[in-house]
Amino acid sequence: MKKFIIKSYLFLSLLILLACILFAFEENHKNTTEYLASMADKHQRIRDIDGQKIILAGGSNLVFGIDSQQIEKELNIHVVNLGLHAKLGLAFILSELRDVASSKDIIVLSIEHLMTSQGDRELQRMTAYYNSFAFKYYHEKNDNWSSLLKFKLDNHHILFKKTISNIIKKAKNDPIYTRNGINKYGDAISHLELVKKDKLGSKSIIKDNSDDKIKLLNEFYLFAKRKGIKVVFSYGAYERSEYENNIIALKKTHKRMEENLNIEMIMDIDDFVYPTSYFYDSVYHLNQKGRLIHTRNMIQKLKSSSTLKEILQ
């Protein structure tokens, strides 16, 4: 019995020591350069703007594809690029918008074709690790205290993995996917002077999952209408050969969206489809030339929107 108590004490002491070591190496989330931590900066810009604003919401197609400063200049309304990552999922992004949008705001939903409704839970946990307020974006309101406990345990798990990566493997920070590469509007600019990658990532076989998305979007539309928020929908920029490879599923999805979506779609199915030479490292991420053209096209679509016509005149 005495040996068991001693072993238990030693084991507990080891766990406490390990926890202390981990916390000693934990990043300062306020100053970290981690890409996901840029969510906090985007939210701060929203809080700093007094009055009406345009909120661009979606995945990284927005971060690596839009010049928000140019939109702000052309439309004379403050712009915040809230885009971050498509794998956060539509439900997560709409929950975030419910939290930050205010009356008279304009929301432009720019959604990648591969985005799912519920998203990737591991990425959501990692996002909440760097932005604790994001925990509520992927947990239901009726979740009990066990969810909060699990969130804390997830943080320890993520901290352990990052410590192993940073200390043992000596992982280097990505020069492109970094908080430091994003400007005050929420746009990535660190890649603009770089040469296009030989191979584009994020290629996938698109499936028609429009029913779930339409349900979520129509529910959000009702929320926005009650709050006095204007909302329009578009697809993200998309590389032409990928569009052609997925054309059957895309047309099927587009037809269902046209028939059932209550939010105005400000573009046709192929309006934001561009040649390969316009993209940087992904079939959704534009280079400098593509970004310029896509921004111009987006501005024209917003000006032509029936939902926004009176506001943007």
Side-chain angles (χ1 to χ4, degrees):
M1 183 66 178
K2 185 176 181 181
K3 288 184 178 180
F4 175 76
I5 294 174
I6 293 174
K7 288 182 179 180
S8 298
Y9 176 77
L10 290 173
F11 179 70
L12 181 61
S13 299
L14 183 62
L15 287 178
I16 293 172
L17 178 61
L18 179 60
C20 291
I21 292 172
L22 285 175
F23 280 114
F25 286 109
E26 184 174 16
E27 296 174 272
N28 182 332
H29 292 184
K30 184 177 181 180
N31 299 319
T32 181
T33 59
E34 167 62 42
Y35 172 78
L36 295 174
S38 65
M39 176 183 278
D41 304 324
K42 295 166 186 275
H43 281 222
Q44 185 59 54
R45 175 164 171 79
I46 287 176
R47 289 192 293 271
D48 289 343
I49 294 173
D50 184 19
Q52 187 181 46
K53 54 194 169 290
I54 294 174
I55 300 176
L56 306 174
S60 58
N61 84 86
L62 286 168
V63 187
F64 293 87
I66 283 291
D67 184 346
S68 297
Q69 184 176 12
Q70 186 62 30
I71 295 176
E72 182 170 297
K73 181 180 178 181
E74 290 273 349
L75 302 183
N76 197 30
I77 300 176
H78 290 299
V79 177
V80 182
N81 188 339
L82 202 61
L84 196 64
H85 202 302
K87 288 189 176 180
L88 287 172
L90 183 60
F92 182 102
I93 290 168
L94 295 179
S95 292
E96 182 183 12
L97 286 169
R98 285 184 172 93
D99 188 37
V100 301
S102 302
S103 176
K104 297 184 179 180
D105 283 348
I106 298 169
I107 294 174
V108 181
L109 289 165
S110 181
I111 305 300
E112 290 89 343
H113 297 292
L114 57 67
M115 184 182 291
T116 63
S117 295
Q118 297 308 313
D120 180 80
R121 187 50 57 95
E122 184 68 18
L123 182 65
Q124 293 167 351
R125 289 168 180 160
M126 181 68 80
T127 304
Y129 171 73
Y130 285 104
N131 311 274
S132 58
F133 55 83
F135 168 71
K136 60 189 173 184
Y137 300 153
Y138 65 97
H139 279 278
E140 298 296 333
K141 292 181 179 179
N142 59 357
D143 272 4
N144 55 32
W145 63 270
S146 64
S147 293
L148 182 58
L149 177 60
K150 190 174 186 308
F151 170 63
K152 296 295 184 183
L153 292 175
D154 285 341
N155 275 359
H156 288 300
H157 174 64
I158 292 169
L159 175 57
F160 177 76
K161 288 200 302 184
K162 287 189 67 63
T163 300
I164 295 298
S165 176
N166 293 337
I167 303 303
I168 297 179
K169 295 183 179 179
K170 297 180 180 179
K172 295 181 180 180
N173 291 329
D174 191 307
I176 304 302
Y177 293 86
T178 171
R179 186 181 190 179
N180 290 344
I182 297 175
N183 66 17
K184 71 174 187 177
Y185 298 94
D187 305 338
I189 55 174
S190 54
H191 70 299
L192 294 179
E193 301 296 329
L194 300 180
V195 178
K196 172 187 171 295
K197 298 289 185 180
D198 293 333
K199 294 183 179 180
L200 298 179
S202 302
K203 294 184 177 182
S204 59
I205 298 173
I206 304 298
K207 297 180 180 179
D208 177 29
N209 58 357
S210 55
D211 288 346
D212 289 344
K213 289 182 182 178
I214 290 170
K215 182 175 184 294
L216 288 172
L217 289 166
N218 284 342
E219 288 173 353
F220 181 77
Y221 171 75
L222 292 176
F223 160 83
K225 191 174 182 179
R226 289 195 301 268
K227 292 286 186 177
I229 298 168
K230 299 294 185 181
V231 55
V232 294
F233 177 90
S234 81
Y235 302 123
Y238 199 37
E239 192 269 335
R240 187 171 301 283
S241 65
E242 274 296 285
Y243 168 79
E244 291 171 354
N245 289 339
N246 290 289
I247 189 65
I248 295 175
L250 293 175
K251 284 187 174 180
K252 183 178 178 180
T253 297
H254 184 69
K255 183 179 180 181
R256 294 181 70 83
M257 297 278 276
E258 284 186 314
E259 292 173 347
N260 299 289
L261 187 64
N262 294 332
I263 299 171
E264 181 193 359
M265 300 175 71
I266 61 173
M267 30 58 67
D268 206 345
I269 186 171
D270 59 353
D271 283 346
F272 292 160
V273 174
Y274 302 108
T276 306
S277 60
Y278 285 15
F279 291 81
Y280 170 63
D281 67 346
S282 159
V283 296
Y284 295 101
H285 295 176
L286 296 165
N287 57 24
Q288 189 166 30
K289 181 179 180 180
R291 179 178 182 256
L292 174 64
I293 292 172
H294 182 51
T295 299
R296 287 176 180 170
N297 289 342
M298 178 66 80
I299 290 170
Q300 290 306 312
K301 295 297 182 184
L302 292 174
K303 286 182 176 180
S304 301
S305 163
S306 59
T307 301
L308 307 178
K309 205 165 188 179
E310 293 182 5
I311 301 172
L312 301 181
Q313 281 182 344

